[in-house]
Amino acid sequence: MLLVKHGRDVLDDSTSRADADRLADDLESMGPTFVKLGQLLSTRADLLPPTYLAALSRLQDDVDPLSFAVIEPIVEAELGVRISKAFDSFDSSPLASASIGQVHRAVLRDGRDVVVKVQRPDIRDRIRGDMEAIEEIAAFADTHTDAGRRFGFTPMVDEFHRSLVAELDYRTEAANLVALGEMVERYDRIVVPQPIDDYCTDRVLTMEYVSGRKVTELGPLAHLELDGDALADELFRAYLDQVLVHGFFHADPHPGNVLVTDDGRLALIDLGMVARVEPGLRDDLLKMLLALADGDGRQVAEICIEIGQKLDDFDRHALTARVVDLVARSGGATVGDLQAGAVIGELSRVSAECGLRAPSELTMLAKALLNLDEVARTLAPEFRPEDAIRAHTAELLRQRMLSSLRPGSVLSAAMDAREFAEKLPGRVNKVFDALADGRLTLNVQGIDERELMRGIQKIANRVTMGLVLAALIVGAAMTMRVTGVAELWGYPALSVVLFLLAVLGGVALVVSIFLSDLPQRRRRR
C-alpha cells in the first residue's frame, strides 16, 4: 500500500522533494528487497520524475553488521571445515555490511589476501515474502491503472525477481567474476578480482583482495596523481565491449563498486547484478549509440521503434519529434554537464509516453551508463562519452565481426546451409506438384485486386499474341519448301501471306506497348 500511495503522486510528477525523500526513507525502513527495488527504480527515468530519481539514487544498502558468532558457523558449515583450518587469519570485524551479506578480510593458508562474503542466514525467506507482495502490487497496477498497462510492471518485477535470485547464489557471482575477468583481460587499467573456487559455495564467496579506495573517496592530491581521462576512456571502452560485443556486462557499476587500486587501476567488484543482451539487439544498440554520438535524432527514433513494442496508442510522429529534440539538446555536452545514461533513460520515458514500450535491456544499459557517468564525472569532468564511442567504433565493429566468426557460429551457418541444400529439391517438387494439381495459391494483401487482374490479363494477351506470331513465322518457314503451288514474288503465296501477317501482328504489338505502357510510366514519375 505504501508503494501505491506514493505511486499516485510519482506518476503525476507533482510532488515535492520532501515527498521523494520520504519514499526513499520508507523503502529503506522496509528492508533489503525494497532497498534494491528503490535502487532499480532510481534508474527508470521513463517512470519517475527527476526529484524521485535523485532521492532513490541515494539509497544505501548499509545495515548493522552481524556478530562474528553468527557468521562463523555459516562459514564453517558451508566450507565443511573450521575457519582456523581453512584460513591463516580471519578478521572478526567486517569490511562492509549490506542487507544480503557482509564482507570480511582473511588470509589463506598459502598467504594470499582474500575477502570473504557471507550471506545473512534469514535473507532468503525474507526476500521471498517481500517478492510475493511486490508481485501482487504489480499485477494489480497492470490491471487497474493506465500506467501499468503502458509500462508493464509485471515483466519488470519478474526481471527484478530473477536478478535477486541470482544475487542470492554466490556461485553465480563467482562465475560472473570469471567471465568478466576474461573480457577485461586485455585492458591494462581494468582489473576484476577472481574467486577462489575451493572456498566458494552458494552462501559464501571468497575472492582475491584488491587494495584500493572507492572513486568517491579520492582526495584532490590523489586526483593529481591519476590519469583520469585515460581511466574514464578505458572504462567506457571496456563497457562498450561488454555490452555490444560480448552481450554480458556489469549492470551496477556505481562508485561504490569501482575502486581505484594502489597501482592506479580501476577494480570492478560486486558482480551480483549482471545483464545479458542477445546478438540482434546488440547491433541495434550499437547503431543507437552511434546515432546519439552523431546527433542523428531521426535514426535514434527509428531504432527505438524497431526494438520497442508498439502499444495501441503508439504515435510515430510524436515520438520522432520528441526524440529529435532530445538528441539535439543533449548533443555536445560533457559528462560533467549531462549524464549520457540519463539520455537513454529519457528515451525510454519518451517512448512510453508515445505508446512504445522499450525493451528491458535498454533500461539496464541506461542504469549501467548512468553509474558510469558518475564514475567518469569524478575521474575526469571534461570526459565526453560520445567521443569515446566514435573513437572505438571501428574496434567495436571489428570485435563484433570476429565474434560472429567464432567456430560455433561458422559451424552453425554451415549446418543451416547444408539443411537448406538437402531440403531444397523436396520443397521445389512440392511446389511444382501443387502447381500441377491446381493447389498452389498466393495470399497477396494490401494491393488493388482489379488492377492486378488487368495486369495479368494484359500479360496473358501479349504472351498469346507472341505465340500466334511465332506460329505464323514457323508456318511460313515450313511452307517455303512446298512446290507446285501458286507463287508470289517467286515464293509460295501461302508463305508470303503468313510472313505478312506476322509482320503486321508484330507492328501492332509494338504500337500497343508504346501506347499503353509508356504513359503509365510517365504517370508514376
Side-chain angles (χ1 to χ4, degrees):
M1 293 303 295
L2 173 67
L3 291 178
V4 173
K5 175 176 73 69
H6 281 286
R8 294 193 190 101
D9 297 330
V10 167
L11 294 173
D12 290 338
D13 195 12
S14 60
T15 54
S16 65
R17 181 178 298 274
D19 294 323
D21 291 336
R22 187 162 54 253
L23 173 61
D25 293 339
D26 290 339
L27 290 173
E28 199 165 28
S29 67
M30 294 173 68
T33 311
F34 293 92
V35 168
K36 291 192 172 295
L37 179 61
Q39 291 172 343
L40 176 64
L41 290 174
S42 70
T43 68
R44 296 303 302 257
D46 56 334
L47 287 175
L48 304 175
T51 303
Y52 276 83
L53 297 178
L56 294 176
S57 66
R58 293 191 293 269
L59 277 174
Q60 296 297 318
D61 197 16
D62 296 327
V63 298
D64 294 333
L66 294 173
S67 67
F68 186 68
V70 176
I71 291 297
E72 184 178 19
I74 296 176
V75 176
E76 292 181 346
E78 289 295 313
L79 299 184
V81 65
R82 294 179 62 84
I83 283 183
S84 59
K85 295 292 185 180
F87 301 93
D88 188 56
S89 65
F90 195 102
D91 289 351
S92 58
S93 299
L95 290 174
S97 179
S99 55
I100 290 181
Q102 62 188 46
V103 179
H104 292 257
R105 187 172 177 181
V107 179
L108 297 179
R109 282 294 182 178
D110 59 9
R112 284 180 291 174
D113 289 328
V114 297
V115 293
V116 183
K117 183 189 291 188
V118 186
Q119 192 172 114
R120 290 176 174 265
D122 59 345
I123 191 62
R124 298 191 178 197
D125 292 337
R126 184 171 183 179
I127 287 179
R128 188 179 299 112
D130 291 341
M131 285 306 307
E132 290 177 358
I134 293 174
E135 288 168 353
E136 290 180 4
I137 294 173
F140 178 85
D142 285 353
T143 306
H144 298 89
T145 68
D146 180 66
R149 287 185 288 270
R150 180 179 297 276
F151 293 100
F153 294 133
T154 297
M156 296 182 198
V157 170
D158 290 342
E159 183 178 351
F160 174 61
H161 193 181
R162 288 193 297 271
S163 175
L164 266 184
V165 170
E167 196 169 350
L168 289 172
D169 188 347
Y170 286 168
R171 290 171 300 186
T172 300
E173 183 173 350
N176 294 339
L177 288 168
V178 173
L180 187 61
E182 294 175 352
M183 292 177 195
V184 303
E185 189 175 5
R186 64 193 187 95
Y187 297 99
D188 297 333
R189 295 182 173 89
I190 308 293
V191 60
V192 176
Q194 293 300 289
I196 311 300
D197 292 335
D198 294 337
Y199 290 77
C200 293
T201 71
D202 61 338
R203 298 176 65 194
V204 172
L205 173 62
T206 305
M207 70 190 90
E208 298 169 344
Y209 172 73
V210 177
S211 179
R213 290 172 292 173
K214 295 180 180 180
V215 171
T216 53
E217 296 176 353
L218 297 176
L221 183 60
H223 276 287
L224 293 176
E225 298 173 351
L226 288 176
D227 188 352
D229 288 324
L231 287 174
D233 181 74
E234 187 145 309
L235 183 62
F236 259 84
R237 181 184 173 194
Y239 263 85
L240 292 173
D241 189 9
Q242 293 171 42
V243 176
L244 304 174
V245 177
H246 301 286
F248 173 92
F249 64 98
H250 185 198
D252 194 23
H254 64 76
N257 287 339
V258 180
L259 305 181
V260 178
T261 64
D262 294 341
D263 58 359
R265 296 185 296 171
L266 294 178
L268 305 179
I269 62 173
D270 192 1
L271 263 72
M273 184 180 294
V274 298
R276 288 173 171 81
V277 184
E278 57 92 13
L281 187 57
R282 293 177 216 167
D283 295 334
D284 292 324
L285 292 179
L286 174 57
K287 290 186 290 186
M288 176 182 288
L289 288 176
L290 292 175
L292 280 172
D294 293 336
D296 189 348
R298 291 192 175 275
Q299 177 68 8
V300 173
E302 288 300 320
I303 296 171
C304 286
I305 294 171
E306 183 177 346
I307 66 177
Q309 177 186 352
K310 301 180 183 67
L311 303 179
D312 294 338
D313 58 346
F314 172 61
D315 189 337
R316 175 186 289 267
H317 177 73
L319 175 66
T320 302
R322 294 185 62 177
V323 171
V324 168
D325 178 67
L326 172 63
V327 174
R329 286 187 285 109
S330 64
T334 66
V335 73
D337 301 324
L338 179 68
Q339 295 180 330
V343 175
I344 296 182
E346 183 72 5
L347 282 176
S348 298
R349 186 184 67 81
V350 168
S351 297
E353 292 179 353
C354 295
L356 185 72
R357 184 180 297 171
S360 59
E361 291 86 352
L362 190 64
T363 301
M364 297 299 290
L365 177 62
K367 173 185 173 71
L369 289 179
L370 198 65
N371 288 322
L372 285 179
D373 290 337
E374 188 173 353
V375 175
R377 186 166 55 252
T378 304
L379 294 171
E382 297 303 316
F383 177 74
R384 295 169 61 91
E386 64 269 28
D387 290 342
I389 294 172
R390 291 193 193 98
H392 303 309
T393 298
E395 176 66 14
L396 288 171
L397 293 175
R398 187 180 72 84
Q399 289 294 326
R400 288 286 293 124
M401 293 181 66
L402 289 177
S403 177
S404 65
L405 291 176
R406 64 185 185 275
S409 299
V410 175
L411 180 59
S412 177
M415 293 177 65
D416 290 341
R418 187 199 68 178
E419 181 181 2
F420 174 78
E422 289 176 348
K423 294 183 177 180
L424 180 61
R427 290 170 177 170
V428 171
N429 286 337
K430 289 181 180 179
V431 172
F432 278 106
D433 288 344
L435 181 62
D437 297 340
R439 294 182 287 104
L440 184 64
T441 59
L442 295 176
N443 184 13
V444 182
Q445 299 178 352
I447 60 174
D448 189 338
E449 294 182 359
R450 293 183 179 179
E451 184 65 26
L452 176 63
M453 292 305 299
R454 282 196 294 268
I456 293 175
Q457 186 177 10
K458 184 185 298 183
I459 294 173
N461 291 339
R462 289 179 180 174
V463 170
T464 302
M465 185 65 177
L467 291 174
V468 171
L469 294 177
L472 290 174
I473 294 172
V474 171
M478 294 178 65
T479 58
M480 287 288 291
R481 298 183 179 183
V482 178
T483 58
V485 295
E487 295 184 352
L488 185 63
W489 302 315
Y491 298 98
L494 181 59
S495 297
V496 174
V497 172
L498 293 177
F499 271 123
L500 290 176
L501 290 175
V503 171
L504 293 176
V507 171
L509 181 60
V510 171
V511 172
S512 173
I513 291 173
F514 272 92
L515 292 178
S516 62
D517 291 359
L518 291 183
Q520 293 181 8
R521 293 181 183 177
R522 292 193 186 100
R523 283 196 296 270
R524 293 193 191 101
R525 292 175 183 173

